[in-house]
Amino acid sequence: MGKFGTGQAIRRVEDQRFLTGHGQYTGDISIGGQAYLYLLRSPFSHGTIAQLDVSEARRSPGVVAVFTSRDLTDAGVRDLPGADMPGSTLAEPRDALEQPPLARDRVRYVGEPVAGIVAESLAAAKDAAELIEFDVDEIDAAVTIADALRDSAKIIHADLAGNLLGVLEHGDRKATDAVFEQADHVVSIDIVNNRLAPTAMEPRGCVVDFDSTSGKITLYQGCQSVHVLHDRVLHCIDIAPEMLHVISPDVGGAFGLKFFLQCETVVALHAARVLSRPIKWIADRTESFLSDLHGRDHVSHAELALDNNGQFLAMRASITGNTGAYCSQAGPILPWFGASMAPGCYDIPTGYVDISTVMTNTVPVDAYRGAGRPEATYLIERLVDKAAGELDIPRDDIRRRNFISPEQFPYKTFTGRVYDSGEYQGLLDSALARADWSGCGDRQAQSAGNGKLRGIGLSYYVEICSAFGGEDTVINFERDGRVTVLVGTQSSGQGHETSFGQMVAAGLGIDLDQIDVIQGDSQRIPTGEGTGGSRSMVIGGSALFGTVKKLIDSGRKMAAEVLEAAVTDIEFHKGAYRIAGTDRSVLLAEVAVASFDDAHTPEDVEPGLSSTARFAPEGGTFPNGCHICEVEIDPDTGVVEILRYTIEDDVGTVVNPLILEGQIVGGTAQGLGQALCEEAIYDPDSGQLLTGSFIDYTMPRADWVPDVEFHYQEIESPRNPLGIKGAGEAGTIGAAPALVSAVLDALSPRGIDHIDMPLTPHKIWKLLHVS
């Protein structure tokens, strides 16, 4: 057993309630007397509001109220918070372009909320929405980055000339250009990182309960941080902090999407206050496609300077990110954050990256699983493959020549990131052996004999995790002997109840089934910065490590009272305290019971041995690993079949191998989905979302994803007491470049050396058959 229960493959304790239908999600919550909110959404992509007449809707049967932007503004409701754009040597800083909860004067994307209808039933609210007279004076839309930057493009926000929000940068341009001028070889690539819709299993929603007597609001909403959501609501609505209680029930998938406050919650909160009754809003799937914050959507150009031996000398890149119609809460700076990982796992001495952020007539873009690191890894790995091909160096060998070596850690990249630890070549070699990389040539010949094209590809990723904030955790015994653990992160399928519980159980020497892990309650849990960037185990787990130690120390003082001995003579082992050198002992549970007796409790011991500790890292952690994908393509149909998939990961210390594998394989499926089929597409002329349902937006199917041969090595991070690096996003980051590498390897005998995601059968068939 490792530190406090790490390394134990314990089955998830929360699965019993999920599999038996006893989970409670936002949609499961109903409050007596609740009304239902429905949003009229703009069918227009861009235009000035010419008419918005809700009078007939207000008279419709069952309607309680209809709200417009004017109603909210008159009541003092403010716009959603957004991220400001920092300045750089290339552009001035800009304030966030915040989004009104309901469109004010102008609509800027299809699906933007225009009016909120509250009725006794959802059906009545939808019927009333049909009676609203809504029209706009249409303005030409710009839905792609290229369209928005054209000189003829219409301005989306009056104070944003050219639709360019800002330009940020990493590195040294002058020094980089000088290296490129002297390089033996320069390799370049242009790639697209396709736009994605998060498509969580549980759609967004909220239930708001308003106590008219006290004025207290309780907001039920599946989210990634009740405290972050609480504070963002206060940005929009004037209410004393203690009068807003946010509760997150079970969360059916989040992926970054549910970290952010969006329009509908603000409208529901306002309606509940005005009407003094509970309000429920749950998105249907079409609403989700139209209004959920999207992910990715970058276009990039990158160049690599090399010497004659294939050594990397410098890198430069220009990345342009589509941030949509408004500045979401992280979206504008997300491309910059991701681009900080542009050097990947390679020792690139010099480099420069400029990052432009562009506004378009699309739903805002923000963090989606990986949050910028999949984009950065895809860029560098595609570029390295291109360099290997042009210099005729095997793809595995060019990586070996340029990996950061173990003795170089801590390693500072040209973007300023300081990597903690890693053994990149060792992981690569292990993955290659397990995937039988060297034997693929024989398998390619066999496939060719069957009329198929076979290819093998690889990627090596490194990502940054746990780079922001800290966490406090609390542990205490209850009077009935159960142990309560309070954590400020929020599970959305990761198995936190199990992982945190097993750490506490092992640390305190008690049974796991005695422990209740509590999350998602802004009043019961004092603080928390939530789940994102694979921070829960690194930061929350490290805080828990410290809290367990504090509780044991507190219990030692109490045990000294119970055993009538000096504190220095008390030892703790496997759930009991003992006077050193004797057989006199007392169980931790008995000590906890004694702590409720104020008359005999030391002054600095809390009832129930309640203890708390905080952990805030000094820097990020850097998980890394190798993905190897082998595919076969049917040239008659363009269909890609994944034959074999191998992963070798370094995520630092592993708490629960079963949960880890689930996270890695699930993330890999999402990465393969982006590579093979997923893409949110807007019509360039009308601005209509063309992929507004599962008929049009293709999700990866179960039979597309092979059994993943997953293995890990534990190379500890020195930046937290547990040595954990994080794993929640790793699979997503490594998957897409590995699959694209394999497909291009399969297509290379036909002279094809470039393809952009998604790799649909039609796209591949056209490359093979249409000259």
Side-chain angles (χ1 to χ4, degrees):
M1 180 178 289
K3 298 175 182 176
F4 284 16
T6 60
Q8 304 304 298
I10 297 170
R11 292 187 178 275
R12 299 186 352 159
V13 298
E14 50 268 79
D15 284 352
Q16 181 65 25
R17 74 170 188 272
F18 294 149
L19 294 174
T20 57
H22 290 88
Q24 185 183 55
Y25 298 88
T26 305
D28 296 320
I29 296 172
S30 291
I31 300 172
Q34 71 188 13
Y36 296 83
L37 172 66
Y38 180 73
L39 282 302
L40 173 69
R41 299 182 183 277
S42 174
F44 307 101
S45 57
H46 196 193
T48 302
I49 297 176
Q51 182 181 26
L52 179 58
D53 185 348
V54 300
S55 56
E56 285 296 317
R58 284 177 171 149
R59 291 191 290 269
S60 183
V63 169
V64 179
V66 179
F67 298 97
T68 66
S69 182
R70 177 173 293 178
D71 298 319
L72 271 61
T73 301
D74 289 347
V77 177
R78 293 178 291 275
D79 294 351
L80 274 67
D84 296 337
M85 174 57 68
S88 69
T89 64
L90 303 174
E92 294 294 319
R94 291 185 183 273
D95 292 337
L97 297 169
E98 298 184 340
Q99 181 172 4
L102 296 172
R104 181 188 306 119
D105 302 328
R106 179 182 286 199
V107 293
R108 293 180 170 89
Y109 64 92
V110 171
E112 183 171 1
V114 173
I117 305 97
V118 179
E120 299 293 348
S121 69
L122 182 59
K126 288 183 176 181
D127 287 344
E130 299 288 338
L131 302 176
I132 295 176
E133 296 183 20
F134 173 62
D135 199 8
V136 307
D137 295 327
E138 291 193 68
I139 302 171
D140 291 341
V143 299
T144 68
I145 290 169
D147 286 345
L149 293 178
R150 287 198 177 100
D151 291 341
S152 59
K154 300 299 183 182
I155 301 303
I156 298 171
H157 291 274
D159 56 350
L160 193 66
N163 296 321
L164 180 65
L165 182 63
V167 185
L168 299 175
E169 56 193 336
H170 292 291
D172 187 326
R173 173 185 277 177
K174 185 176 180 181
T176 301
D177 290 345
V179 174
F180 269 86
E181 289 177 5
Q182 301 298 320
D184 296 321
H185 303 279
V186 173
V187 177
S188 64
I189 195 168
D190 292 280
I191 64 166
V192 174
N193 215 286
N194 41 319
R195 187 183 186 103
L196 302 178
T199 57
M201 186 178 294
E202 176 203 13
R204 289 187 301 115
C206 66
V207 180
V208 184
D209 193 11
F210 178 68
D211 185 333
S212 58
T213 302
S214 67
K216 186 174 182 178
I217 294 177
T218 302
L219 168 62
Y220 299 90
Q221 179 169 321
C223 65
Q224 292 172 242
S225 173
V226 290
H227 295 91
V228 172
L229 182 59
H230 176 279
D231 292 347
R232 286 173 177 162
V233 167
L234 297 184
H235 176 93
C236 299
I237 295 178
D238 284 324
I239 181 173
E242 67 274 12
M243 300 302 286
L244 175 63
H245 184 189
V246 180
I247 297 174
S248 177
D250 292 322
V251 183
F255 314 125
L257 166 68
K258 293 176 184 173
F259 204 88
F260 307 107
L261 175 67
Q262 289 193 244
C263 302
E264 299 86 357
T265 299
V266 177
V267 178
L269 285 160
H270 174 70
R273 293 181 81 184
V274 170
L275 301 173
S276 295
R277 63 183 296 184
I279 301 294
K280 184 171 186 174
W281 171 76
I282 302 292
D284 62 30
R285 189 57 66 181
T286 297
E287 284 186 287
S288 293
F289 277 111
L290 287 172
S291 65
D292 286 356
L293 300 168
H294 285 174
R296 315 286 191 248
D297 203 348
H298 289 184
V299 294
S300 304
H301 173 80
E303 298 175 311
L304 193 60
L306 307 91
D307 65 17
N308 285 323
N309 294 318
Q311 200 74 35
F312 301 166
L313 305 175
M315 175 189 182
R316 60 189 176 196
S318 291
I319 298 169
T320 307
N322 183 347
T323 201
Y326 298 95
C327 296
S328 185
Q329 284 122 63
I333 60 172
L334 193 60
W336 172 85
F337 174 74
S340 71
M341 297 305 298
C345 52
Y346 305 107
D347 182 11
I348 304 177
T350 307
Y352 178 78
V353 185
D354 61 72
I355 308 102
S356 301
T357 303
V358 177
M359 309 298 295
T360 63
N361 294 114
T362 62
V363 69
V365 175
D366 214 308
Y368 173 68
R369 195 171 188 174
R373 289 97 82 203
E375 296 93 315
T377 296
Y378 186 69
L379 180 63
I380 185 64
E381 289 301 283
R382 288 288 309 276
L383 183 59
V384 169
D385 269 6
K386 184 84 177 292
E390 291 194 10
L391 274 65
D392 197 25
I393 300 173
R395 287 169 290 167
D396 56 328
D397 189 33
I398 199 170
R399 287 172 168 82
R400 286 192 192 89
R401 297 183 194 188
N402 291 283
F403 275 151
I404 300 164
S405 60
E407 59 270 15
Q408 290 178 279
F409 292 102
Y411 177 88
K412 187 174 184 177
T413 70
F414 70 77
T415 63
R417 294 297 184 194
V418 181
Y419 296 177
D420 51 358
S421 65
E423 296 178 9
Y424 301 160
Q425 182 169 324
L427 266 71
L428 172 67
D429 290 343
S430 178
L432 292 172
R434 290 173 50 238
D436 189 20
W437 177 273
S438 61
C440 187
D442 293 338
R443 298 191 293 275
Q444 285 176 318
Q446 183 180 4
S447 292
N450 295 325
K452 303 290 182 67
L453 304 172
R454 183 186 288 246
I456 193 168
L458 69 87
S459 72
Y460 202 104
Y461 77 91
V462 60
E463 59 155 330
I464 182 171
C465 293
S466 310
F468 61 93
E471 288 293 333
D472 301 86
T473 58
V474 178
I475 306 175
N476 63 271
F477 279 81
E478 305 295 341
R479 289 184 180 272
D480 63 2
R482 297 194 64 77
V483 175
T484 298
V485 180
L486 305 180
V487 295
T489 60
Q490 174 65 52
S491 176
S492 52
Q494 300 95 330
H496 289 179
E497 293 174 48
T498 304
S499 298
F500 286 138
Q502 74 181 82
M503 291 174 64
V504 173
L508 298 182
I510 61 178
D511 292 336
L512 178 60
D513 60 12
Q514 286 182 249
I515 297 170
D516 298 308
V517 176
I518 308 299
Q519 54 188 341
D521 188 319
S522 67
Q523 288 194 351
R524 190 169 181 187
I525 299 164
T527 64
E529 297 188 34
T531 296
S534 302
R535 67 188 299 276
S536 293
M537 282 298 112
V538 175
I539 301 179
S542 294
L544 205 58
F545 177 87
T547 307
V548 168
K549 291 175 67 176
K550 281 193 172 183
L551 187 144
I552 291 171
D553 288 342
S554 181
R556 182 177 286 108
K557 296 172 186 176
M558 190 69 241
E561 290 288 327
V562 173
L563 295 171
E564 299 180 332
V567 173
T568 53
D569 291 336
I570 301 297
E571 299 176 337
F572 179 78
H573 182 64
K574 291 185 177 180
Y577 293 97
R578 181 172 65 91
I579 301 175
T582 75
D583 60 358
R584 291 185 59 205
S585 64
V586 60
L587 293 175
L588 171 60
E590 295 172 329
V591 171
V593 170
S595 72
F596 288 103
D597 182 357
D598 294 340
H600 297 92
T601 301
E603 186 175 332
D604 55 351
V605 173
E606 297 292 329
L609 306 180
S610 182
S611 301
T612 184
R614 179 173 178 80
F615 180 79
E618 294 182 0
T621 57
F622 293 85
N624 60 89
C626 182
H627 286 226
I628 298 177
C629 180
E630 190 165 340
V631 303
E632 194 172 64
I633 300 172
D634 184 342
D636 293 333
T637 64
V639 170
V640 176
E641 180 183 1
I642 303 172
L643 303 175
R644 188 171 182 178
Y645 204 97
T646 306
I647 300 175
E648 188 85 16
D649 268 338
D650 161 25
V651 295
T653 303
V654 173
V655 174
N656 187 314
L658 284 177
I659 291 178
L660 169 66
E661 185 168 1
Q663 286 288 289
I664 297 296
V665 173
T668 298
Q670 283 185 272
L672 295 176
Q674 176 178 8
L676 285 172
C677 55
E678 292 187 53
E679 186 173 23
I681 303 172
Y682 285 88
D683 181 83
D685 296 322
S686 67
Q688 294 293 323
L689 182 67
L690 302 179
T691 51
S693 72
F694 283 132
I695 295 174
D696 305 299
Y697 187 91
T698 306
M699 297 287 285
R701 274 39 172 183
D703 61 351
W704 294 7
V705 182
D707 289 335
V708 175
E709 299 174 42
F710 171 65
H711 186 261
Y712 63 85
Q713 299 183 32
E714 294 182 278
I715 301 166
E716 293 189 2
S717 171
R719 294 193 176 147
N720 61 80
L722 295 171
I724 299 173
K725 292 181 178 176
E729 295 149 301
T732 311
I733 295 167
L739 184 134
V740 175
S741 177
V743 168
L744 287 174
D745 184 53
L747 297 176
S748 61
R750 302 291 184 93
I752 298 167
D753 63 0
H754 182 81
I755 189 170
D756 279 319
M757 300 185 292
L759 278 55
T760 62
H762 182 245
K763 186 181 290 185
I764 292 173
W765 185 89
K766 283 182 65 178
L767 284 172
L768 288 169
H769 297 285
V770 179
S771 57

